[in-house]
Amino acid sequence: AQRVTQPEKLLSVFKGAPVELKCNYSYSGSPELFWYVQYSRQRLQLLLRHISRESIKGFTADLNKGETSFHLKKPFAQEEDSAMYYCALTDAGGTSYGKLTFGQGTILTVHP
Amino acid sequence: KAGVTQTPRYLIKTRGQQVTLSCSPISGHRSVSWYQQTPGQGLQFLFEYFSETQRNKGNFPGRFSGRQFSNSRSEMNVSTLELGDSALYLCASSSTGFITDTQYFGPGTRLTVL
């Protein structure tokens, strides 16, 4: 079974402070991990994925298979980063067609 | 490029009725996935269709069904509605449904069952 846990429902930081959104997963196979974001009154959209090893809007995430974690980090938070963030998992073997397993989400608020 | 569209945006039904929701993917996308979002369970995968074939299915009862047409538009149907079916139903489209493809989400259909 696949499970994604985001332990923080709410996270508040001040502008310019570092931010880390936690994501832990449980999966017996080979996982591929994603972060999705939903800004106010917008659709759910992909922020970044592990397979691309890219940095988007200053965010990075490292897959730690030993700790089964995929935490999202940004060194200096901006007010426009305020949003709901979802960590998601799929099977890296390619047989989980279109299936993403989501965590419960973390609401990030960046105060001025 | 137009995004994923879902119709209707809001629906109110009563218990025992059935409902059909529609999703039009981004042009050229052939994979459509459906998700149910509730405050208690979060986002849960319902099923995925590609070229009119269901390739993947989540853990939902048989009352939840779907189909895809030759133009890649997809519909999902819920029969014998229960109060617990009240949720936001999201669809997402991608080129092939493989992990290298980005899934693009629609705005959702808000279903309320009274």
Side-chain angles (χ1 to χ4, degrees):
Chain A
Q2 302 174 357
R3 181 186 283 264
V4 177
T5 303
Q6 295 179 246
E8 304 135 331
K9 209 167 184 175
L10 302 168
L11 185 62
S12 288
V13 300
F14 285 99
K15 177 182 170 183
V19 63
E20 180 177 67
L21 291 89
K22 291 184 167 48
C23 171
N24 292 95
Y25 67 89
S26 170
Y27 183 49
S28 57
S30 180
E32 177 55 27
L33 277 297
F34 305 79
W35 278 98
Y36 277 78
V37 62
Q38 188 165 25
Y39 301 102
S40 178
R41 291 186 293 278
Q42 293 189 29
R43 304 176 183 202
L44 192 61
Q45 59 185 284
L46 178 68
L47 179 62
L48 59 78
R49 70 183 96 198
H50 167 251
I51 199 171
S52 302
R53 307 239 193 258
E54 56 199 346
S55 170
I56 304 291
K57 299 185 179 183
F59 285 98
T60 58
D62 290 317
L63 179 59
N64 186 322
K65 291 190 175 180
E67 295 183 359
T68 60
S69 68
F70 189 59
H71 302 328
L72 184 69
K73 300 176 185 178
K74 184 170 183 176
F76 306 103
Q78 303 298 315
E79 288 178 67
E80 55 265 31
D81 296 328
S82 296
M84 171 76 99
Y85 291 81
Y86 293 94
C87 182
L89 174 156
T90 193
D91 179 81
T95 57
S96 286
Y97 303 113
K99 177 183 179 180
L100 292 167
T101 298
F102 285 90
Q104 292 284 65
T106 298
I107 299 173
L108 173 65
T109 303
V110 181
H111 299 283
Chain B
K1 229 184 205 183
V4 177
T5 58
Q6 292 186 245
T7 56
R9 293 293 310 280
Y10 302 91
L11 264 179
I12 299 176
K13 293 285 187 179
T14 55
R15 275 183 301 172
Q17 287 186 308
Q18 76 163 19
V19 67
T20 299
L21 313 181
S22 181
C23 173
S24 292
I26 290 171
S27 177
H29 286 188
R30 296 167 65 191
S31 169
V32 174
S33 296
W34 287 89
Y35 293 85
Q36 182 195 64
Q37 185 174 28
T38 60
Q41 300 297 317
L43 277 154
Q44 293 186 286
F45 173 78
L46 281 153
F47 29 66
E48 187 260 5
Y49 285 86
F50 179 83
S51 290
E52 302 178 65
T53 300
Q54 185 184 89
R55 292 192 301 188
N56 207 351
K57 187 175 185 305
N59 193 25
F60 278 80
R63 300 185 296 107
F64 292 82
S65 63
R67 59 177 175 167
Q68 187 180 36
F69 302 93
S70 58
N71 62 357
S72 295
R73 189 177 71 84
S74 177
E75 288 181 347
M76 68 162 281
N77 185 275
V78 187
S79 63
T80 319
L81 284 166
E82 300 177 359
L83 295 178
D85 297 333
S86 294
L88 181 67
Y89 290 88
L90 295 172
C91 78
S93 77
S94 69
S95 296
T96 65
F98 292 130
I99 62 168
T100 48
D101 288 341
T102 297
Q103 286 200 30
Y104 294 86
F105 282 81
T109 293
R110 171 77 60 186
L111 172 64
T112 302
V113 182
L114 303 176

